[in-house]
Amino acid sequence: MASFLVRNALNITRRGLFTSSVRSAIPEEFPDTMKVITGLEKKEIEANMAGKDDPFALEALTKKPGFGTKANPTLVPSATGQRLVGCMCNGEDSIAPLYLNLYEGRPQRCSCGHWYALKKIDFVE
């Protein structure tokens, strides 16, 4: 009798995992992307959907005539009180930019003579 119980116990433990090929009646769907993402990624996608192509102001600025003087500096957008700017002093054919740390309320002059100032803005609304 004891050997019968032991054999039956062993048969139970030797059984494999039973799986069914029947699918549930409810179709599986992927969740909507906008319901899953959060934070800055969501704000960036919402800004792109609203037509704002560069919500973080990462596009390169070009030097324009009449700007870059002490009285009329080139305004660089920033959401914080500081930003790193690379000036291509010899034009677009320059090999390496000269980097400047801009701080809010303090215009800064590059070695080429061009002036920059920080403009505080809200990137993503």
Side-chain angles (χ1 to χ4, degrees):
M1 177 83 175
S3 64
F4 174 75
L5 290 175
V6 171
R7 273 188 284 152
N8 282 341
L10 291 176
N11 285 337
I12 291 172
T13 58
R14 278 192 248 153
R15 289 172 123 181
L17 177 65
F18 177 76
T19 59
S20 173
S21 62
V22 178
R23 295 190 57 127
S24 68
I26 302 170
E28 295 179 21
E29 293 181 12
F30 287 105
D32 182 28
T33 305
M34 293 306 286
K35 291 179 183 176
V36 176
I37 58 174
T38 60
L40 284 177
E41 183 181 9
K42 185 172 186 172
K43 289 185 178 192
E44 180 182 10
I45 291 173
E46 287 172 345
N48 286 336
M49 289 169 61
K52 196 171 185 182
D53 293 333
D54 190 22
F56 298 110
L58 298 176
E59 300 246 342
L61 300 174
T62 56
K63 295 178 183 178
K64 297 178 184 173
F67 288 92
T69 62
K70 188 171 186 178
N72 195 12
T74 299
L75 298 177
V76 179
S78 176
T80 62
Q82 65 180 10
R83 186 157 185 185
L84 182 67
V85 175
C87 179
M88 300 301 278
C89 298
N90 299 331
E92 293 179 8
D93 296 332
S94 254
I95 295 173
L98 177 72
Y99 290 102
L100 308 166
N101 280 315
L102 292 181
Y103 298 97
E104 188 176 9
R106 291 191 293 177
Q108 192 168 352
R109 181 177 175 261
C110 180
S111 63
C112 67
H114 201 83
W115 284 83
Y116 296 95
L118 203 66
K119 177 184 174 186
K120 190 143 181 176
I121 62 168
D122 291 330
F123 286 128
V124 183
E125 297 152 355

